[in-house]
Coordinates of all heavy atoms in Angstrom, one line a residue:
A118 N -11.9 11.6 1.4 CA -11.5 10.9 2.6 C -12.4 9.7 3.0 O -12.0 8.6 3.3 CB -11.4 11.9 3.7
D119 N -13.7 10.0 2.9 CA -14.7 9.0 3.2 C -14.6 7.8 2.2 O -14.8 6.7 2.6 CB -16.1 9.6 3.1 CG -16.4 10.5 4.3 OD1 -15.7 10.5 5.3 OD2 -17.4 11.3 4.1
D120 N -14.4 8.1 0.9 CA -14.3 7.1 -0.1 C -13.0 6.2 0.2 O -13.1 5.0 0.2 CB -14.1 7.8 -1.5 CG -14.6 6.9 -2.6 OD1 -15.1 5.8 -2.4 OD2 -14.4 7.3 -3.8
L121 N -11.9 6.9 0.4 CA -10.6 6.2 0.6 C -10.7 5.4 1.9 O -10.0 4.3 2.0 CB -9.5 7.2 0.7 CG -8.1 6.7 0.9 CD1 -7.7 5.8 -0.3 CD2 -7.1 7.9 1.0
R122 N -11.4 5.8 2.9 CA -11.5 5.1 4.2 C -12.0 3.7 4.0 O -11.8 2.8 4.8 CB -12.3 6.0 5.1 CG -12.2 5.6 6.6 CD -12.9 6.6 7.5 NE -12.1 7.8 7.6 CZ -12.5 9.0 7.2 NH1 -13.6 9.2 6.6 NH2 -11.7 10.0 7.4
E123 N -12.9 3.5 3.0 CA -13.5 2.2 2.7 C -12.6 1.3 1.8 O -13.1 0.2 1.5 CB -14.9 2.4 2.1 CG -15.9 3.2 2.9 CD -16.1 2.6 4.3 OE1 -16.2 1.3 4.3 OE2 -16.2 3.3 5.3
A124 N -11.5 1.8 1.5 CA -10.6 1.0 0.5 C -10.1 -0.3 1.2 O -9.9 -0.3 2.4 CB -9.4 1.9 0.1
V125 N -9.9 -1.2 0.4 CA -9.2 -2.5 0.9 C -7.8 -2.6 0.4 O -7.0 -3.3 1.0 CB -10.0 -3.7 0.4 CG1 -11.4 -3.8 1.0 CG2 -10.1 -3.8 -1.1
F126 N -7.5 -1.8 -0.6 CA -6.0 -1.8 -1.1 C -5.8 -0.5 -1.8 O -6.6 -0.1 -2.7 CB -5.7 -2.9 -2.1 CG -4.3 -2.9 -2.5 CD1 -3.3 -3.5 -1.8 CD2 -4.0 -2.4 -3.8 CE1 -2.0 -3.5 -2.2 CE2 -2.7 -2.4 -4.2 CZ -1.7 -2.9 -3.4
V127 N -4.7 0.3 -1.5 CA -4.4 1.5 -2.1 C -3.1 1.4 -2.8 O -2.1 0.9 -2.3 CB -4.3 2.7 -1.0 CG1 -4.0 4.0 -1.7 CG2 -5.5 2.7 -0.1
Y128 N -3.1 1.8 -4.1 CA -1.8 1.7 -4.9 C -0.9 2.9 -4.5 O -1.3 4.0 -4.3 CB -2.2 1.8 -6.4 CG -2.9 0.6 -6.9 CD1 -4.3 0.5 -7.0 CD2 -2.1 -0.5 -7.3 CE1 -4.9 -0.6 -7.5 CE2 -2.7 -1.7 -7.8 CZ -4.1 -1.7 -7.9 OH -4.8 -2.8 -8.3
T129 N 0.4 2.6 -4.6 CA 1.4 3.6 -4.4 C 2.0 4.0 -5.8 O 2.9 4.8 -5.8 CB 2.6 3.1 -3.6 OG1 3.1 1.8 -4.1 CG2 2.1 2.9 -2.1
D130 N 1.4 3.5 -6.9 CA 1.7 3.9 -8.2 C 0.5 3.9 -9.1 O 0.2 3.1 -9.9 CB 2.8 3.0 -8.8 CG 3.2 3.5 -10.2 OD1 3.0 4.6 -10.6 OD2 3.9 2.7 -10.9
P131 N -0.4 5.0 -8.9 CA -1.6 5.0 -9.6 C -1.4 5.2 -11.1 O -2.3 4.8 -11.9 CB -2.3 6.3 -9.0 CG -1.2 7.1 -8.5 CD -0.2 6.1 -8.0
A132 N -0.3 5.7 -11.5 CA -0.1 5.8 -13.0 C 0.0 4.5 -13.7 O -0.5 4.3 -14.8 CB 1.2 6.6 -13.2
A133 N 0.4 3.4 -13.0 CA 0.4 2.1 -13.6 C -1.0 1.5 -13.8 O -1.2 0.7 -14.7 CB 1.2 1.1 -12.7
V134 N -1.9 2.0 -13.0 CA -3.3 1.5 -13.1 C -4.0 2.0 -14.3 O -4.8 1.4 -14.9 CB -4.1 1.8 -11.8 CG1 -5.6 1.4 -11.9 CG2 -3.5 1.3 -10.6
V135 N -3.6 3.3 -14.7 CA -4.3 3.9 -15.9 C -3.3 3.8 -17.1 O -3.5 4.5 -18.1 CB -4.6 5.3 -15.6 CG1 -5.6 5.5 -14.5 CG2 -3.4 6.2 -15.3
N136 N -2.4 2.8 -17.0 CA -1.5 2.6 -18.2 C -2.3 2.0 -19.3 O -3.0 1.0 -19.2 CB -0.4 1.6 -17.7 CG 0.6 1.4 -18.9 OD1 0.3 1.2 -20.0 ND2 1.9 1.3 -18.5
Q137 N -2.3 2.7 -20.5 CA -3.2 2.3 -21.6 C -2.8 0.8 -22.1 O -3.7 0.1 -22.6 CB -3.0 3.2 -22.8 CG -3.6 4.6 -22.5 CD -5.1 4.6 -22.9 OE1 -5.5 3.9 -23.7 NE2 -5.8 5.5 -22.2
A138 N -1.6 0.4 -21.9 CA -1.2 -0.9 -22.4 C -1.8 -2.0 -21.6 O -2.2 -3.0 -22.1 CB 0.3 -1.0 -22.4
T139 N -1.9 -1.9 -20.3 CA -2.3 -3.0 -19.4 C -3.4 -2.7 -18.5 O -4.1 -3.5 -17.9 CB -1.1 -3.5 -18.6 OG1 -0.6 -2.4 -17.8 CG2 0.0 -4.0 -19.5
G140 N -3.7 -1.4 -18.2 CA -4.7 -1.0 -17.2 C -5.9 -0.4 -17.8 O -6.4 -0.7 -18.9
V141 N -6.4 0.6 -17.1 CA -7.6 1.4 -17.5 C -7.4 2.1 -18.8 O -6.3 2.8 -18.9 CB -8.1 2.3 -16.4 CG1 -9.1 3.3 -16.9 CG2 -8.6 1.5 -15.2
T142 N -8.3 2.0 -19.8 CA -8.1 2.7 -21.1 C -9.0 4.0 -21.2 O -8.7 4.8 -22.1 CB -8.4 1.8 -22.3 OG1 -9.8 1.4 -22.1 CG2 -7.5 0.6 -22.2
D143 N -10.0 4.1 -20.3 CA -10.9 5.2 -20.5 C -10.9 6.2 -19.4 O -11.8 6.9 -19.1 CB -12.4 4.7 -20.7 CG -12.8 3.8 -19.6 OD1 -12.0 3.3 -18.8 OD2 -14.0 3.6 -19.4
F144 N -9.7 6.3 -18.7 CA -9.5 7.3 -17.7 C -9.5 8.7 -18.4 O -8.9 8.7 -19.5 CB -8.2 7.1 -16.9 CG -8.0 8.0 -15.8 CD1 -8.8 8.0 -14.7 CD2 -6.9 8.8 -15.7 CE1 -8.6 8.8 -13.6 CE2 -6.7 9.7 -14.7 CZ -7.5 9.7 -13.5
P145 N -10.1 9.7 -17.9 CA -10.2 11.0 -18.7 C -8.8 11.5 -19.2 O -7.8 11.4 -18.5 CB -10.7 12.0 -17.6 CG -11.5 11.1 -16.7 CD -10.7 9.8 -16.6
A146 N -8.8 11.9 -20.5 CA -7.6 12.3 -21.1 C -7.0 13.6 -20.4 O -7.8 14.4 -19.9 CB -7.9 12.7 -22.6
N147 N -5.7 13.6 -20.3 CA -5.0 14.8 -19.7 C -5.1 14.8 -18.2 O -4.7 15.8 -17.6 CB -5.4 16.1 -20.3 CG -5.2 16.2 -21.8 OD1 -4.2 15.7 -22.3 ND2 -6.2 16.7 -22.5
A148 N -5.8 13.8 -17.6 CA -5.9 13.8 -16.1 C -4.7 13.2 -15.5 O -4.1 12.2 -16.0 CB -7.1 13.0 -15.7
V149 N -4.2 13.8 -14.5 CA -3.0 13.3 -13.7 C -3.6 12.4 -12.6 O -4.3 12.9 -11.7 CB -2.2 14.5 -13.1 CG1 -1.1 13.9 -12.3 CG2 -1.7 15.4 -14.2
P150 N -3.3 11.1 -12.6 CA -3.8 10.2 -11.6 C -3.1 10.5 -10.2 O -1.9 10.5 -10.2 CB -3.5 8.8 -12.1 CG -2.4 9.0 -13.0 CD -2.5 10.4 -13.6
V151 N -3.9 10.6 -9.2 CA -3.3 10.9 -7.9 C -3.6 9.8 -6.9 O -2.7 9.4 -6.1 CB -3.9 12.3 -7.3 CG1 -3.3 12.6 -5.9 CG2 -3.5 13.4 -8.3
L152 N -4.8 9.3 -6.9 CA -5.1 8.2 -6.0 C -5.8 7.0 -6.8 O -6.6 7.3 -7.7 CB -6.1 8.6 -4.9 CG -5.6 9.6 -3.8 CD1 -6.8 10.0 -3.0 CD2 -4.6 8.9 -3.0
A153 N -5.5 5.8 -6.5 CA -6.1 4.6 -7.1 C -6.2 3.6 -6.0 O -5.2 3.2 -5.3 CB -5.3 4.1 -8.3
F154 N -7.4 3.0 -5.9 CA -7.6 2.0 -4.9 C -8.9 1.2 -5.2 O -9.6 1.5 -6.0 CB -7.9 2.7 -3.5 CG -8.9 3.7 -3.4 CD1 -10.3 3.4 -3.1 CD2 -8.6 5.0 -3.7 CE1 -11.3 4.3 -3.1 CE2 -9.6 6.0 -3.6 CZ -10.9 5.6 -3.3
W155 N -8.9 0.0 -4.5 CA -10.1 -0.9 -4.6 C -10.9 -0.8 -3.4 O -10.4 -0.7 -2.2 CB -9.6 -2.4 -4.8 CG -9.0 -2.6 -6.1 CD1 -7.7 -2.5 -6.4 CD2 -9.7 -3.1 -7.3 NE1 -7.5 -2.9 -7.8 CE2 -8.7 -3.2 -8.3 CE3 -11.0 -3.4 -7.6 CZ2 -9.1 -3.6 -9.6 CZ3 -11.4 -3.8 -8.9 CH2 -10.4 -3.9 -9.8
R156 N -12.2 -0.8 -3.5 CA -13.2 -0.8 -2.4 C -14.2 -1.9 -2.7 O -14.5 -2.2 -3.8 CB -13.8 0.5 -2.1 CG -14.4 1.2 -3.3 CD -15.1 2.5 -2.9 NE -16.3 2.1 -2.1 CZ -16.9 3.0 -1.3 NH1 -16.4 4.2 -1.1 NH2 -18.0 2.6 -0.6
L157 N -14.9 -2.4 -1.6 CA -15.9 -3.4 -1.8 C -17.3 -2.7 -1.7 O -17.6 -2.0 -0.7 CB -15.8 -4.4 -0.6 CG -16.6 -5.7 -0.8 CD1 -16.1 -6.5 -2.0 CD2 -16.4 -6.6 0.5
D158 N -18.0 -2.8 -2.7 CA -19.3 -2.1 -2.8 C -20.4 -3.1 -2.8 O -20.4 -4.2 -3.4 CB -19.4 -1.2 -4.1 CG -18.5 0.0 -4.0 OD1 -18.3 0.5 -2.9 OD2 -18.1 0.6 -5.0
P159 N -21.6 -2.7 -2.2 CA -22.7 -3.6 -2.2 C -23.3 -3.8 -3.6 O -23.3 -2.8 -4.4 CB -23.7 -3.0 -1.2 CG -23.3 -1.5 -1.2 CD -21.8 -1.6 -1.4
V160 N -23.9 -4.9 -3.9 CA -24.5 -5.2 -5.2 C -25.9 -5.6 -5.0 O -26.2 -6.5 -4.1 CB -23.8 -6.3 -6.0 CG1 -24.5 -6.6 -7.3 CG2 -22.3 -5.8 -6.3
D161 N -26.9 -5.0 -5.6 CA -28.3 -5.3 -5.6 C -28.5 -6.6 -6.4 O -28.4 -6.6 -7.6 CB -29.1 -4.1 -6.1 CG -30.6 -4.4 -6.0 OD1 -31.0 -5.4 -5.4 OD2 -31.4 -3.6 -6.4
T162 N -28.9 -7.6 -5.7 CA -29.1 -8.9 -6.4 C -30.6 -9.3 -6.5 O -30.9 -10.4 -6.9 CB -28.4 -10.1 -5.6 OG1 -29.0 -10.1 -4.2 CG2 -26.9 -9.8 -5.5
S163 N -31.5 -8.3 -6.3 CA -32.9 -8.6 -6.3 C -33.4 -9.0 -7.7 O -34.4 -9.7 -7.8 CB -33.7 -7.4 -5.8 OG -33.4 -6.2 -6.6
A164 N -32.7 -8.6 -8.7 CA -33.1 -8.9 -10.1 C -32.7 -10.3 -10.5 O -33.2 -10.8 -11.6 CB -32.6 -7.9 -11.1
L165 N -31.8 -11.0 -9.8 CA -31.4 -12.3 -10.1 C -32.5 -13.3 -10.0 O -33.4 -13.1 -9.1 CB -30.2 -12.7 -9.2 CG -28.8 -12.0 -9.5 CD1 -27.8 -12.4 -8.4 CD2 -28.3 -12.4 -10.9
P166 N -32.5 -14.4 -10.7 CA -33.6 -15.4 -10.6 C -33.5 -16.1 -9.2 O -32.4 -16.2 -8.6 CB -33.2 -16.4 -11.7 CG -31.8 -16.2 -12.0 CD -31.5 -14.8 -11.7
S167 N -34.6 -16.5 -8.7 CA -34.6 -17.2 -7.4 C -33.8 -18.5 -7.4 O -33.3 -18.9 -6.4 CB -36.1 -17.5 -7.0 OG -36.7 -18.3 -8.0
N168 N -33.8 -19.1 -8.6 CA -33.0 -20.3 -8.8 C -31.9 -20.1 -9.8 O -32.1 -19.9 -11.0 CB -33.9 -21.5 -9.2 CG -33.1 -22.8 -9.4 OD1 -31.9 -22.9 -9.0 ND2 -33.8 -23.8 -9.8
C169 N -30.6 -20.0 -9.3 CA -29.5 -19.7 -10.2 C -29.3 -20.8 -11.2 O -28.7 -20.5 -12.3 CB -28.2 -19.5 -9.4 SG -28.3 -18.0 -8.3
D170 N -29.7 -22.0 -11.0 CA -29.6 -23.0 -11.9 C -30.4 -22.9 -13.2 O -30.2 -23.6 -14.2 CB -29.9 -24.4 -11.3 CG -28.9 -24.9 -10.3 OD1 -27.7 -24.5 -10.4 OD2 -29.3 -25.5 -9.3
S171 N -31.2 -21.9 -13.2 CA -32.0 -21.6 -14.4 C -31.2 -20.8 -15.5 O -31.7 -20.6 -16.6 CB -33.3 -20.8 -14.1 OG -32.9 -19.5 -13.6
L172 N -30.0 -20.3 -15.1 CA -29.2 -19.5 -16.0 C -28.5 -20.5 -17.0 O -28.5 -21.7 -16.8 CB -28.1 -18.7 -15.3 CG -28.7 -17.6 -14.3 CD1 -27.6 -16.9 -13.6 CD2 -29.6 -16.7 -15.1
S173 N -28.1 -19.9 -18.1 CA -27.7 -20.7 -19.3 C -26.4 -21.4 -19.2 O -26.2 -22.5 -19.8 CB -27.7 -19.8 -20.6 OG -26.8 -18.7 -20.4
T174 N -25.4 -20.9 -18.5 CA -24.1 -21.5 -18.5 C -23.6 -21.8 -17.1 O -24.1 -21.2 -16.2 CB -23.0 -20.5 -19.1 OG1 -22.9 -19.4 -18.3 CG2 -23.4 -20.1 -20.5
P175 N -22.7 -22.8 -17.0 CA -22.2 -23.2 -15.6 C -21.6 -22.0 -15.0 O -21.7 -21.8 -13.7 CB -21.2 -24.3 -15.9 CG -21.7 -24.9 -17.2 CD -22.3 -23.8 -18.0
A176 N -20.8 -21.2 -15.7 CA -20.1 -20.0 -15.1 C -21.1 -19.0 -14.6 O -20.9 -18.5 -13.5 CB -19.2 -19.3 -16.2
Q177 N -22.2 -18.8 -15.3 CA -23.3 -17.8 -14.8 C -24.0 -18.4 -13.6 O -24.3 -17.7 -12.7 CB -24.3 -17.6 -15.9 CG -23.8 -16.7 -17.1 CD -24.0 -15.2 -16.8 OE1 -25.2 -14.8 -16.5 NE2 -23.0 -14.4 -16.8
K178 N -24.2 -19.7 -13.6 CA -24.9 -20.3 -12.4 C -24.0 -20.2 -11.2 O -24.5 -19.8 -10.1 CB -25.1 -21.8 -12.7 CG -26.1 -22.1 -13.8 CD -26.2 -23.5 -14.2 CE -27.2 -23.8 -15.3 NZ -27.3 -25.2 -15.7
D179 N -22.7 -20.5 -11.3 CA -21.8 -20.4 -10.2 C -21.7 -18.9 -9.7 O -21.7 -18.7 -8.5 CB -20.4 -20.9 -10.6 CG -20.4 -22.4 -10.8 OD1 -21.4 -23.1 -10.4 OD2 -19.5 -22.9 -11.5
E180 N -21.5 -18.0 -10.6 CA -21.4 -16.6 -10.2 C -22.6 -16.1 -9.6 O -22.5 -15.3 -8.6 CB -21.0 -15.7 -11.4 CG -20.7 -14.3 -11.1 CD -19.9 -13.6 -12.1 OE1 -19.7 -14.1 -13.3 OE2 -19.5 -12.4 -11.9
C181 N -23.8 -16.5 -10.0 CA -25.0 -16.1 -9.4 C -25.1 -16.6 -8.0 O -25.5 -15.8 -7.1 CB -26.2 -16.7 -10.3 SG -27.8 -16.4 -9.5
K182 N -24.7 -17.8 -7.7 CA -24.8 -18.4 -6.4 C -23.8 -17.7 -5.5 O -24.2 -17.3 -4.3 CB -24.5 -19.9 -6.5 CG -25.5 -20.7 -7.2 CD -25.1 -22.1 -7.3 CE -26.1 -22.9 -8.1 NZ -25.7 -24.3 -8.4
V183 N -22.6 -17.4 -6.0 CA -21.6 -16.7 -5.1 C -22.0 -15.3 -4.8 O -21.9 -14.8 -3.7 CB -20.2 -16.7 -5.9 CG1 -19.3 -15.8 -5.1 CG2 -19.7 -18.1 -5.9
L184 N -22.6 -14.6 -5.8 CA -23.0 -13.2 -5.6 C -24.2 -13.1 -4.6 O -24.2 -12.2 -3.8 CB -23.4 -12.5 -6.9 CG -23.7 -11.0 -6.9 CD1 -22.6 -10.3 -6.3 CD2 -24.1 -10.5 -8.3
K185 N -25.0 -14.1 -4.6 CA -26.1 -14.1 -3.7 C -25.7 -14.2 -2.2 O -26.3 -13.7 -1.3 CB -27.1 -15.2 -4.0 CG -28.1 -14.9 -5.1 CD -29.2 -15.8 -5.2 CE -30.2 -15.4 -6.2 NZ -31.4 -16.3 -6.2
I186 N -24.5 -14.8 -2.1 CA -23.9 -15.0 -0.7 C -23.1 -13.7 -0.4 O -23.3 -13.2 0.7 CB -23.0 -16.2 -0.7 CG1 -23.9 -17.5 -0.9 CG2 -22.3 -16.3 0.7 CD1 -23.0 -18.7 -1.0
R187 N -22.3 -13.3 -1.3 CA -21.4 -12.1 -1.0 C -22.1 -10.8 -0.9 O -21.8 -9.9 -0.2 CB -20.3 -12.1 -2.0 CG -19.3 -13.2 -1.9 CD -18.2 -13.1 -2.9 NE -17.3 -11.9 -2.7 CZ -16.3 -11.6 -3.4 NH1 -16.0 -12.2 -4.5 NH2 -15.6 -10.5 -3.1
Q188 N -23.1 -10.6 -1.9 CA -23.9 -9.4 -2.0 C -22.9 -8.2 -2.2 O -23.3 -7.0 -1.8 CB -24.7 -9.2 -0.7 CG -25.7 -10.3 -0.4 CD -26.9 -10.2 -1.3 OE1 -27.5 -9.1 -1.5 NE2 -27.4 -11.3 -1.8
A189 N -21.8 -8.4 -2.7 CA -20.8 -7.2 -2.9 C -19.8 -7.6 -4.0 O -19.6 -8.8 -4.3 CB -20.1 -6.9 -1.6
A190 N -19.2 -6.6 -4.6 CA -18.1 -6.8 -5.5 C -17.1 -5.7 -5.4 O -17.4 -4.6 -4.9 CB -18.7 -6.9 -6.9
Y191 N -15.9 -5.9 -5.9 CA -14.8 -4.9 -5.8 C -14.9 -3.9 -6.9 O -15.2 -4.3 -8.1 CB -13.4 -5.6 -5.9 CG -13.1 -6.4 -4.7 CD1 -13.1 -7.8 -4.7 CD2 -12.8 -5.8 -3.4 CE1 -12.8 -8.6 -3.5 CE2 -12.5 -6.5 -2.3 CZ -12.5 -7.9 -2.4 OH -12.2 -8.6 -1.2
T192 N -14.7 -2.7 -6.5 CA -14.7 -1.5 -7.5 C -13.4 -0.8 -7.5 O -12.9 -0.5 -6.4 CB -15.9 -0.5 -7.1 OG1 -17.1 -1.2 -7.2 CG2 -15.8 0.6 -8.1
L193 N -12.9 -0.6 -8.7 CA -11.6 0.2 -8.8 C -12.0 1.7 -8.9 O -12.8 2.1 -9.7 CB -10.9 -0.2 -10.1 CG -9.6 0.6 -10.4 CD1 -8.5 0.4 -9.3 CD2 -9.1 0.2 -11.8
V194 N -11.3 2.5 -8.1 CA -11.6 3.9 -8.0 C -10.3 4.7 -8.3 O -9.3 4.3 -7.7 CB -12.2 4.4 -6.7 CG1 -12.4 5.9 -6.6 CG2 -13.5 3.7 -6.4

Side-chain angles (χ1 to χ4, degrees):
D119 290 342
D120 205 9
L121 181 61
R122 197 170 285 116
E123 300 301 321
V125 296
F126 181 81
V127 184
Y128 288 97
T129 53
D130 184 14
V134 179
V135 298
N136 184 317
Q137 290 276 331
T139 59
V141 168
T142 60
D143 55 342
F144 189 63
N147 302 318
V149 177
V151 178
L152 288 173
F154 54 90
W155 289 91
R156 53 173 290 156
L157 194 62
D158 286 333
V160 175
D161 183 5
T162 60
S163 60
L165 287 173
S167 57
N168 182 5
C169 291
D170 288 330
S171 65
L172 297 180
S173 58
T174 67
Q177 286 272 303
K178 294 174 184 178
D179 291 342
E180 187 162 5
C181 173
K182 292 174 183 178
V183 171
L184 186 58
K185 281 193 171 185
I186 296 172
R187 294 182 64 182
Q188 299 284 315
Y191 290 107
T192 298
L193 175 64
V194 177

